[in-house]
């Protein structure tokens, strides 16, 4: 049963709005990458400004997720949804018309905050409106949306640049969001359900929110500010600060929960093995899966000579296969559980290992390498659709609906941190190899090995979780026998 009286048709209409929001906000993580050379030339932007334009969005996105999830769970979900949509449109406009690189960087930060307001409400609404197998199907569609938008970003960016021109075409990468939000806003106003007052504490734990914000910034900052070339090593001290504040945050949350029952991170949720394992698996997987598109795009454009549009087309089979398999996986997750995720990870690894081999052996054949990589990425995309949404469904399966928004936001924070870590390490390996005189194919292959290792780590977490679930189920089967 769901905790909502909305008719079945209305619930699926709300889901359609949520999927559109998830698509456009996740798309803006990757679509801007292919436009960086145009932005650099148009605004005379330096490396630091370009990094802020790319990484500022991700950092602000991750920073806003937890407080937005908590406020949404406390009854503000509809207001935050509408405010996030309006903010995303306004700051997309500001990004598109920015006259300087500094103003573009600021607009991207605020655009990221707006995206961070929206996404926990999407997850919270799915938790609120769907249950059981229907929830699995809904998260399956959401996972398909996230996978497709991440993979298709470079293609859409390249297509926009091809149509609008390289000089100011980058502005339309941001401006195209405005008509999309203009269409979504009236539907959201009409369809997103008004808040229902829930029993229990209404406090918001401002100290806990502030501590988690410091931890998020401290952990993400050294990764999102990396360029892979000549970075200041002192930035890694931020990780020590994040670890220290993280310990303080955990102690505070335990004490606050005992005293008020309203901690932003409910220890009962953190105590769920299914939630912890799902969050760790998602972090490791996003660290590997996101980076593959960056290194392939860099290699195909910088070394093989592909245009942004051609490089983006190579990722299309991944997007298509991911979308189809995620939809099918959403129907199967209730029956197959964690086994489905493990199978998906094995397929992703097979596709990535094949891509690595192809780059090392066919790197000097431009006419062949693109088609071959597209085939390998199709295999990886098939597996990816079996990982993202089913993992989120399983991670949130035992989480109370009243905590669905903040729990979902914590998983997304892990995904954003994973993406930042993966991109940082992959850039360092790729550019480090080139600086050492390694040819581009081998440098790309080494960077791909990093993505393979991170996905393998996600597989280990999945296998551990699968084993623990079987161990928990064994006494039940024995008593039934």
């Amino acid at each position: 049963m769901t905790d909502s009286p909305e008719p079945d048709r209305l619930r699926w209409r709300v889901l359609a709005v949520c999927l559109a929001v998830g698509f456009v906000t996740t798309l803006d993580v990757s679509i801007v990458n292919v436009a960086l050379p145009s932005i650099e030339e148009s605004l005379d932007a330096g490396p630091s400004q370009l990094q802020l334009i790319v990484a500022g969005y991700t950092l602000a996105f991750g920073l806003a997720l937890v407080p937005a999830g908590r406020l949404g769970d406390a009854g503000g979900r509809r207001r935050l949804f509408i405010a996030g949509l309006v903010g995303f449109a306004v700051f997309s406009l500001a990004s598109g018309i920015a006259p300087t690189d500094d103003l573009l960087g600021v607009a991207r930060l605020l655009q990221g905050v707006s995206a961070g307001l929206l996404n926990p409400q999407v997850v919270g609404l799915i938790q609120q409106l769907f249950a059981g197998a229907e929830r699995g199907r809904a998260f399956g569609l959401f996972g398909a949306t996230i996978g497709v938008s991440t993979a298709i970003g470079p293609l859409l960016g390249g297509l926009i640049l091809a149509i609008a021109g390289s000089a100011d075409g980058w502005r339309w990468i941001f401006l195209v969001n405005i008509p999309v939000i203009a269409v979504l806003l009236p539907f959201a106003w009409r369809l997103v359900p008004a808040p229902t007052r829930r029993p229990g504490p209404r406090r918001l734990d401002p100290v806990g929110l502030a501590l988690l914000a410091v931890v998020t910034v401290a952990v993400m900052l050294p990764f999102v500010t990396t360029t892979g070339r000549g970075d200041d090593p002192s930035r890694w001290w931020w990780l020590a600060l994040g670890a220290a504040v993280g310990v303080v945050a955990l102690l505070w949350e335990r004490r606050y929960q005992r005293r008020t029952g309203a901690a932003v991170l409910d220890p009962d949720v953190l105590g769920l093995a299914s939630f912890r394992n799902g969050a760790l698996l998602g972090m490791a997987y996003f660290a590997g899966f996101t980076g593959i598109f960056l290194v392939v795009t860099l290699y195909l454009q910088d070394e093989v000579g592909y245009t942004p549009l051609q490089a983006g087309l190579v990722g299309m089979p991944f997007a298509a296969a991911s979308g189809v398999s995620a939809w099918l996986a959403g129907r199967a997750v209730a029956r197959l559980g964690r086994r489905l995720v493990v199978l998906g990870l094995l397929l992703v690894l097979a596709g990535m290992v094949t891509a690595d081999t192809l780059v090392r052996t066919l790197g000097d054949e431009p006419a062949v390498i693109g088609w071959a990589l597209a085939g390998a990425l199709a295999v990886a995309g098939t597996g990816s659709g079996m990982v993202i949404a089913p993992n989120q469904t399983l991670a949130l399966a035992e989480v109370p609906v009243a905590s669905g928004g903040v729990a979902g936001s914590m998983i997304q924070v892990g995904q954003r941190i994973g993406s930042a870590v993966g991109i940082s390490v992959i850039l360092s390996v790729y550019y480090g190899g080139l600086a050492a005189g390694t040819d581009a194919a081998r440098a790309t292959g080494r960077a791909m090995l990093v993505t393979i290792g991170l996905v393998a780590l996600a597989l280990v977490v999945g296998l551990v979780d699968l084993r623990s679930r079987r161990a928990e189920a064994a006494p039940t089967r024995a008593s039934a026998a």
Side-chain angles (χ1 to χ4, degrees):
M1 295 289 291
T2 69
D3 72 340
S4 171
E6 272 73 34
D8 186 71
R9 183 179 298 179
L10 179 59
R11 289 187 294 122
W12 289 99
R13 287 176 179 173
V14 173
L15 177 64
V17 174
C18 289
L19 296 182
V21 166
F23 182 88
V24 72
T25 54
T26 308
L27 182 71
D28 264 53
V29 175
S30 61
I31 192 173
V32 72
N33 291 346
V34 296
L36 290 180
S38 298
I39 295 173
E40 181 179 16
E41 183 176 352
S42 176
L43 299 181
D44 194 25
S48 298
Q49 287 82 2
L50 290 174
Q51 188 64 14
L52 177 62
I53 291 165
V54 175
Y57 180 85
T58 303
L59 179 62
F61 194 151
L63 182 60
L65 284 169
V66 174
R70 183 69 179 92
L71 291 168
D73 287 340
R77 186 158 291 140
R78 186 175 189 274
R79 290 190 296 271
L80 287 171
F81 199 99
I82 300 300
L85 277 177
V86 172
F88 196 82
V90 169
F91 297 120
S92 292
L93 174 62
S95 297
I97 64 175
T100 68
D101 53 356
D102 290 332
L103 289 176
L104 177 56
V106 172
R108 283 284 285 172
L109 283 169
L110 296 172
Q111 190 189 27
V113 171
S114 302
L117 292 179
L118 280 165
N119 274 266
Q121 316 321 321
V122 170
V123 175
L125 283 168
I126 293 175
Q127 284 280 96
Q128 175 184 335
L129 298 175
F130 298 92
E134 277 195 338
R135 183 181 291 173
R137 288 196 292 272
F139 272 126
L141 291 170
F142 181 63
T145 301
I146 298 303
V148 169
S149 63
T150 301
I152 208 173
L155 171 62
L156 291 182
L159 185 61
I160 290 172
L161 289 175
I163 295 172
S166 59
D168 285 322
W170 64 267
R171 296 185 182 276
W172 287 100
I173 284 178
F174 305 113
L175 295 175
V176 74
N177 292 328
I178 298 170
V180 176
I181 301 301
V183 171
L184 288 176
L185 191 56
F187 285 101
W189 185 272
R190 178 185 174 190
L191 296 176
V192 174
T196 55
R197 184 174 181 84
R198 299 181 184 278
R202 304 288 291 176
R203 296 170 180 164
L204 295 179
D205 186 12
V207 174
L209 288 171
L211 289 171
L212 288 171
V214 173
V215 172
T216 302
V217 172
V219 172
M220 290 187 69
L221 192 61
F223 294 107
V224 300
T225 55
T226 188
T227 64
R229 291 183 277 197
D231 296 311
D232 182 2
S234 66
R235 73 189 190 283
W236 299 114
W237 285 105
W238 283 97
L239 294 180
L241 174 64
V245 178
V247 172
V248 174
L250 287 175
L251 294 174
W252 169 266
E253 291 295 88
R254 288 178 181 174
R255 179 174 178 271
Y256 194 80
Q257 181 69 14
R258 286 196 302 267
R259 187 158 51 90
T260 68
V264 65
L265 290 182
D266 187 341
D268 290 338
V269 173
L270 293 177
L272 295 172
S274 57
F275 177 79
R276 289 197 312 273
N277 290 337
L280 288 172
L281 189 152
M283 182 184 296
Y285 180 69
F286 268 75
F289 134 84
T290 307
I292 191 72
F293 300 106
L294 175 63
V295 70
V296 167
T297 300
L298 282 172
Y299 172 70
L300 291 176
Q301 290 186 77
D302 294 345
E303 305 300 332
V304 181
Y306 280 19
T307 66
L309 179 57
Q310 289 172 324
L313 284 169
V314 172
M316 266 301 294
F318 185 104
S322 175
V324 173
S325 67
W327 180 71
L328 295 173
R331 295 174 172 270
V333 64
R335 178 167 47 89
L336 298 177
R338 184 60 71 186
R339 289 174 294 170
L340 182 67
V341 178
V342 169
L343 176 59
L345 288 168
L346 289 171
L347 284 174
V348 174
L349 281 173
M352 287 185 169
V353 170
T354 302
D356 178 27
T357 304
L358 290 170
V359 168
R360 294 173 186 268
T361 57
L362 299 176
D364 57 351
E365 299 185 34
V368 177
I369 186 64
W371 291 100
L373 281 175
L377 291 176
V379 175
T382 302
S384 185
M386 300 162 64
V387 175
I388 298 175
N391 178 62
Q392 183 145 316
T393 302
L394 295 168
L396 297 176
E398 300 177 25
V399 173
V401 171
S403 300
V406 72
S409 68
M410 286 303 300
I411 291 176
Q412 291 195 49
V413 169
Q415 292 172 355
R416 300 281 77 78
I417 291 174
S419 297
V421 171
I423 288 171
S424 170
V425 176
I426 288 162
L427 278 175
S428 297
V429 171
Y430 178 74
Y431 285 122
L434 293 180
T438 303
D439 65 83
R442 291 186 180 274
T444 302
R446 290 178 182 177
M448 284 186 173
L449 286 178
V450 175
T451 70
I452 291 168
L454 291 167
V455 174
L457 177 61
L459 176 61
V460 170
V461 176
L463 290 170
V464 170
D465 188 58
L466 178 61
R467 182 177 180 181
S468 66
R469 288 172 186 267
R470 286 176 173 173
E472 291 172 0
T476 304
R477 291 195 299 267
S479 61

